[in-house]
Amino acid sequence: MTNKIDKQSFGQSGATVVTNTATTTGDFCALQVLAEANFSAITWPELTGTLTGFAIPAGTVIYGQITSFKLASGKVLAYNQV
């Protein structure tokens, strides 16, 4: 039986490609930056500090319990938590 962590690790819970500047909501366990991205907002209760206002290079993976985010620019792959 595959557990939740294994499913998340291999993307078996699904993912969403986000290329627009609308707020994206869901239960995400990771965001992979596909094209250099700038976030204008991110909801991640356990985060200290901010990930907004600067460029995050392509290839970066951000792990955490993220419930919403909004891109100012760029492209990300948002991995579902469940």
Side-chain angles (χ1 to χ4, degrees):
M1 175 181 255
T2 305
N3 67 37
K4 183 176 170 182
I5 297 296
D6 288 338
K7 281 187 169 186
Q8 291 172 348
S9 298
F10 296 106
Q12 293 177 350
S13 293
T16 302
V17 176
V18 179
T19 60
N20 60 49
T21 57
T23 299
T24 301
T25 60
D27 290 319
F28 306 110
C29 62
L31 302 177
Q32 181 177 9
V33 179
L34 301 175
E36 183 177 271
N38 281 283
F39 291 91
S40 57
I42 188 164
T43 304
W44 178 6
E46 296 81 17
L47 177 65
T48 301
T50 184
L51 290 174
T52 60
F54 59 92
I56 299 175
T60 302
V61 179
I62 301 165
Y63 297 98
Q65 294 180 325
I66 299 159
T67 56
S68 72
F69 63 92
K70 183 174 183 178
L71 291 172
S73 63
K75 183 184 220 180
V76 301
L77 182 61
Y79 288 91
N80 297 328
Q81 183 172 337
V82 183

